[in-house]
């Protein structure tokens, strides 16, 4: 488990990032973990919504810091920005129903975050930087994170360290 979380919730798994979008796509931690724990991604790393997992946090009584869909990228352009086959609003609805928990979201595609503003206050919305992005891309990612409204915390995960910011 990642040190800064004590629960994982994967209502969405998988990703199709290329090396241009994600400098570490060929060394992806989540893709590797999906091979070790195939039940989480249901056999492959194709983007997939798991509606049967939506209510899981509703059953947790003790407050938790929850990694949301860290086994994929919930905000990639897998469906050209149309939520027909996965429902981010349903995921955010569960977040709102569980104010006792903190839900951490992380993406390499922050330009898709602001459309879900205002975010629930118990959402921590973050971006993943490696330092291998161009300075222009890093600036665009930071600007996109700044555009997120409502979230209790906006954060940056800087890993793996491949270059400078």
């Amino acid at each position: 488990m990642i040190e800064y979380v004590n629960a994982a919730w994967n209502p969405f798994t998988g990703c199709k990032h290329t090396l241009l979008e994600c400098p570490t796509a060929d060394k992806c931690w989540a893709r590797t973990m999906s091979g070790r724990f195939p039940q989480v991604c249901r056999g492959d790393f194709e983007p997939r919504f798991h509606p049967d997992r939506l209510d899981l946090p509703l059953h947790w009584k003790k407050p938790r810091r929850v990694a949301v869909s860290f086994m994929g990228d919930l905000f990639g352009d897998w469906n050209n920005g149309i939520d027909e086959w996965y429902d981010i609003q349903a995921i955010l609805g569960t977040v709102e129903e569980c104010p006792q928990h903190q839900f951490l979201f992380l993406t390499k595609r922050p330009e898709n975050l602001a459309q879900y503003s205002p975010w629930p206050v118990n959402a921590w919305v973050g971006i993943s930087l490696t330092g291998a992005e161009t300075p222009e891309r890093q600036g665009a990612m930071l600007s996109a994170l700044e555009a997120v409204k409502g979230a209790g915390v906006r954060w940056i995960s800087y890993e793996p360290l491949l270059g400078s910011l």
Side-chain angles (χ1 to χ4, degrees):
M1 184 66 67
I2 300 168
E3 295 85 16
Y4 53 85
V5 298
N6 55 15
W9 177 44
N10 288 289
F12 178 88
T13 57
C15 126
K16 290 187 175 188
H17 286 313
T18 66
L19 283 171
L20 290 175
E21 298 163 318
C22 174
T24 59
D26 60 339
K27 302 170 192 68
C28 177
W29 171 86
R31 186 180 305 273
T32 300
M33 290 294 105
S34 72
R36 288 182 57 195
F37 303 101
Q39 69 279 8
V40 175
C41 294
R42 300 215 168 121
D44 58 33
F45 204 58
E46 286 298 308
R48 183 174 289 119
F49 180 49
H50 307 276
D52 57 308
R53 299 176 183 173
L54 277 174
D55 68 342
L56 182 64
L58 299 172
H59 303 287
W60 298 332
K61 302 298 183 215
K62 185 178 176 183
R64 300 179 185 199
R65 187 170 294 144
V66 183
V68 180
S69 294
F70 275 31
M71 291 298 291
D73 194 335
L74 183 58
F75 301 99
D77 289 327
W78 323 133
N79 201 23
N80 297 322
I82 301 169
D83 298 338
E84 291 176 7
W85 60 277
Y86 68 98
D87 193 346
I88 293 173
Q89 294 297 347
I91 294 168
L92 293 176
T94 298
V95 171
E96 288 179 340
E97 288 184 55
C98 298
Q100 72 276 25
H101 305 311
Q102 298 166 328
F103 293 88
L104 283 71
F105 293 84
L106 185 62
T107 185
K108 293 192 183 309
R109 298 304 293 270
E111 59 272 13
N112 296 327
L113 294 172
Q115 65 184 306
Y116 300 103
S117 291
W119 283 73
V121 71
N122 59 329
W124 293 24
V125 180
I127 62 173
S128 182
L129 291 171
T130 66
E133 303 86 4
T134 66
E136 294 78 18
R137 175 68 181 145
Q138 288 179 13
M141 291 175 79
L142 293 170
S143 293
L145 183 60
E146 283 183 320
V148 169
K149 304 296 181 217
V153 173
R154 291 177 294 171
W155 61 291
I156 299 170
S157 175
Y158 182 44
E159 49 74 32
L161 305 176
L162 300 176
S164 60
L165 292 178

